[in-house]
């Protein structure tokens, strides 16, 4: 059996570690290609959201390249994400692939539940190996996350522009050529070293922008036109509040903890929303924006896929947040037709505006004294 | 006397009499906004982000028209309508969204309906409402359960139209869509009336029993799904069993996220399992002209020959 899975940001690195360790064969769809997105678009309903199309594209690519097992994490409730699994499996069935489609319910995940569902893949593997693999994968999630944070720090401060990006792209091509936890761990380690060696301007006080919005788009570079890289290279320090590690924490670890702590963004968002759940991460988007304002960020960018309903509500509410907390918020909506040039221009204009605002605030301070 | 404004959009199409009766029982004056018209739409469009779906924009138009005439505007928060049945995120966030877009938070009265996991929220929200209206909470709660029980009762009794009830000579069509699409004369451009004029028997989800729709709502039988999804999938797969049903018309507003999925489920299933019933997808946005709409409709009717 050969498994395939969709990309989401850097998630493929820990998944690869997991599968390598257990000894399951797999097909990884290429990162960042037009080809996979197009495969998704032609097989999806027109008004499905971009994450759905991108995910379907990855899966169809995997099937075309020999995979016969799909493991997918779904949910339930109000957001369409809850029904991705069902629709994906219906569409794929209709394309006549001989494939086993297993859907994991991620809103309430338990280790036992997962093990049972994936038993066709693991029946001849040892339980000890499985547990080891899961632990390795979880560790990798946090290692990769750290790498990203260092990159966000160096990218906007590096003296020679483009150094960070070069190292990161080398990292990805190396990961794809190596196997297992120890090899990948050592790649992460050496990448970390290289990033730390970049010469940076430590005195620089860059603009700080928080990214909020729909989690898949916000954390998947090929669908957000590498927003973190673009902003970083404009000299902006980017704080993405939708790291995959956080998502994993919320969905996998918290559910297995005895005490449930309330999400801090959710509590902050409750100021404007009189309920705990409107589907997706709409309330968290509002809460994270308030958090950015309180932490004195210079601006917030909300990014979401066209027709994403929870984020449309959040967008309406963000105009209130903007007024009350005096922080500029820009909304970017993407779909498969979004042009990169226009998108870049909007980012640049927003950054220019924030620069002006900052220097004005600074001058004002000067005059007041 | 305190006047409660009820917007004539979205939830109103399903629950109109229930809420009207509820407020009247409390001895309040109820004002319902006019049927949707061009003004409602234009005002609504002005207040909303472009990405918002058309029915929600129109809903804003209804609220705006009541803003100065009523003391409070009633916007219920339908979260889940019964066990395992959920609503669209935009319906669930409706009170917050309209409050933000129209700047009228202080005027909005809210009742929460979250039957799947938090049925107790209804009572809590009714107590809040009682405080705002300065009415005894027990009276409000009692009034609610009276009208709610009546609503549930009517759901089990009503409809049960027998598919075979009709004239054998008449062609049959199934019309699908959200109630606030197909029964809003402005949004649907009087579609039902037009079909009836052509001597076509039109079925809508109202014509099938609650149970049969749940039973046939492939692939969600016994699972969690959107409430409207059960209605539409169930009606589609029930009616295609009848050979006399010649086609399906699915009326959908531009950018409705739910319809995108539900429609696909229907199409895939019909293609794979049932006889090939033709389906016309009519999408309406604020620029749709009636001429083009009618032409497409007529072409479809000619094609399926009803
Ligand atoms: S179900 Fe569709 S039309 Fe209705 S509110 Fe949601 S997005 Fe709008």
């Amino acid at each position: 059996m050969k498994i395939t899975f969709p990309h989401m940001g850097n998630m493929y690195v820990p998944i690869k570690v997991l599968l390598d360790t257990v000894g399951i064969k797999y097909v990884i769809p290429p990162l960042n290609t037009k080809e996979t997105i197009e495969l998704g678009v032609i097989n999806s309903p027109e008004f499905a959201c971009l994450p759905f199309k991108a995910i379907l594209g990855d899966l169809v690519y995997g099937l075309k390249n020999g995979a016969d097992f799909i493991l997918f994490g779904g949910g339930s409730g109000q957001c369409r994400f809850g029904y991705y699994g069902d629709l994906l499996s219906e569409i794929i069935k209709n394309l006549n692939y001989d494939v086993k489609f297993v859907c994991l319910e991620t809103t309430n995940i338990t280790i036992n539940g997962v093990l049972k569902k994936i038993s066709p893949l693991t029946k001849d593997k040892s339980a000890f190996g499985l547990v080891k693999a899961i632990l390795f994968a979880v560790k990798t999630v946090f290692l990769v996350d750290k790498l990203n944070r260092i990159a966000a720090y160096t990218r906007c401060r590096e003296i020679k522009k483009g150094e960070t990006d070069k190292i990161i792209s080398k990292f990805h091509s190396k990961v794809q050529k190596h196997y297992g936890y120890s090899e990948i761990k050592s790649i992460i380690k050496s990448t970390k070293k290289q990033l730390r060696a970049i010469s940076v301007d430590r005195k620089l006080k860059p603009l700080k922008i928080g990214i909020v919005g729909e989690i898949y788009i916000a954390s998947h570079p090929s669908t957000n036109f590498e927003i973190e890289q673009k902003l970083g290279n404009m000299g902006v320090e980017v704080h993405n509040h939708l790291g995959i590690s956080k998502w994993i924490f919320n969905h996998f670890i918290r559910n297995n903890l005895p005490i449930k702590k309330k999400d801090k963004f959710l509590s902050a968002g409750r100021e404007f929303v009189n309920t705990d759940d409107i589907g997706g991460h709409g309330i968290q988007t509002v809460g994270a924006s308030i958090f950015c304002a309180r932490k004195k960020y210079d601006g917030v960018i909300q990014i979401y896929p066209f027709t994403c309903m929870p984020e449309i509500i959040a967008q309406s509410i963000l105009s209130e947040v903007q007024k009350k907390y005096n922080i500029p918020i820009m909304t970017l909506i993407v779909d498969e037709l979004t042009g990169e040039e226009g998108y870049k221009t909007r980012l640049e204009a927003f950054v220019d505006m924030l620069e002006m605002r900052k220097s004005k605030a600074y001058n004002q301070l000067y005059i007041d004294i | 006397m305190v006047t409660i404004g009820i917007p004539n959009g979205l939830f109103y199409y399903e629950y109109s009499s229930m809420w009207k009766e509820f407020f009247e029982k409390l001895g309040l004056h109820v004002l319902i906004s006019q049927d949707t018209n061009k003004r409602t739409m234009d005002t609504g469009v002005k207040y909303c982000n472009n990405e918002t779906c058309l029915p929600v924009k129109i809903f804003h138009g209804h609220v705006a028209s009541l803003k100065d005439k009523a003391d409070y505007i009633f916007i219920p928060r339908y979260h889940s309508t019964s066990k395992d049945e959920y609503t669209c995120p935009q319906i669930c966030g409706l009170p917050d969204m309209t409050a933000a877009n129209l700047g009228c938070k202080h005027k909005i009265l809210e009742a929460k309906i979250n039957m799947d996991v938090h049925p107790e929220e209804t009572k809590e929200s009714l107590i809040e409402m009682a405080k705002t209206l300065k009415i005894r909470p027990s009276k409000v709660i009692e009034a609610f359960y009276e009208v709610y029980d009546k609503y549930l009762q009517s759901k089990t009794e009503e409809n049960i139209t027998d598919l075979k009830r009709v004239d054998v000579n008449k062609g049959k069509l199934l019309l699908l869509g959200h109630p606030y699409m197909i029964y809003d004369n402005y949004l649907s451009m009087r579609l039902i009336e037009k079909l009836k004029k052509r001597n076509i028997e039109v079925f809508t989800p109202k014509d099938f029993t609650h149970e049969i729709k749940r039973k046939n709502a492939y692939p969600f039988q016994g699972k969690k799904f959107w409430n409207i999804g059960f209605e539409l999938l169930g009606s589609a797969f029930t009616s295609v069993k009848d050979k006399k049903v010649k086609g399906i018309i699915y009326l959908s507003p531009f950018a409705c996220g739910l319809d995108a999925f539900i429609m696909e489920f229907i199409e895939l299933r019909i293609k794979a399992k049932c006889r090939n019933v033709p389906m016309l997808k009519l999408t309406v946005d604020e620029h749709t002209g009636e001429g083009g709409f009618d032409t497409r409709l007529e072409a479809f009717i000619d094609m399926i020959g009803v």
Side-chain angles (χ1 to χ4, degrees), chain A residues 4 35-36 63 66 97 132 154 172 184 201 203 242 244 260 301 321 331 341:
Chain A
T4 193
E35 185 200 340
T36 48
L63 295 173
Y97 282 105
K132 196 171 76 181
T154 58
H172 286 296
I184 286 176
D201 178 355
K203 281 197 222 87
L242 297 152
I244 308 265
K260 303 236 177 323
I301 296 180
V321 174
T331 297
E341 276 311 305

Side-chain angles (χ1 to χ4, degrees), chain A residues 309, chain B residues 10 53 55-56 88-91 178 180 228 253 255-259:
Chain A
M309 298 163 291
Chain B
L10 299 178
C53 69
V56 169
C88 164
Q90 289 201 67
I91 305 257
H178 300 279
Y180 44 84
I228 182 71
C256 169
L258 273 56
D259 278 345

Side-chain angles (χ1 to χ4, degrees), chain B residues 114 117-125:
Chain B
N114 192 354
V117 270
H118 295 295
E120 75 286 354
E121 281 185 357
T122 305
K123 221 170 176 177
E124 287 161 21
S125 67

Side-chain angles (χ1 to χ4, degrees), chain A residues 43-49 52 76-81 83-84 86-87 90-91 93-94 270-280 304 306-307 309-310 312-313 315-317 319-320 323 333, chain B residues 49 51-53 77-80 86-90 92-94 96-97 99-101 103 105 110 112 121 218-220 223-226 254-258 260-261 264-265 268-269 271-272 283:
Chain A
N43 291 306
S44 303
E46 184 186 351
F47 290 122
C49 36
F52 182 86
S76 68
Q78 301 184 288
C79 171
R80 275 179 287 180
F81 176 68
Y83 310 110
Y84 271 24
D86 297 287
L87 189 54
E90 284 296 304
I91 291 179
K93 226 190 275 165
N94 222 266
R270 284 295 307 259
E271 182 183 344
F272 293 94
V273 185
N274 190 20
T275 179
D276 269 338
D277 185 15
I278 51 171
Y304 72 80
F306 181 56
T307 75
M309 298 163 291
I312 291 174
I313 305 170
Q315 187 188 358
S316 301
I317 297 167
S319 60
E320 297 271 288
K323 265 185 264 159
I333 298 157
Chain B
N49 298 319
E51 283 64 36
T52 317
C53 69
R77 188 189 296 278
Y78 280 97
H79 191 132
S80 65
Y86 283 81
T87 63
C88 164
Q90 289 201 67
C92 179
L94 203 57
D96 314 306
M97 195 177 179
N101 286 335
K105 195 169 181 177
E110 179 182 328
K112 291 185 183 173
E121 281 185 357
Y218 175 88
F220 292 101
K223 293 208 260 173
K224 278 193 205 316
F225 197 42
W226 296 303
F254 181 73
C256 169
L258 273 56
F261 269 42
E264 188 76 6
F265 277 115
L268 287 170
R269 177 81 174 162
K271 236 190 264 160
T283 310

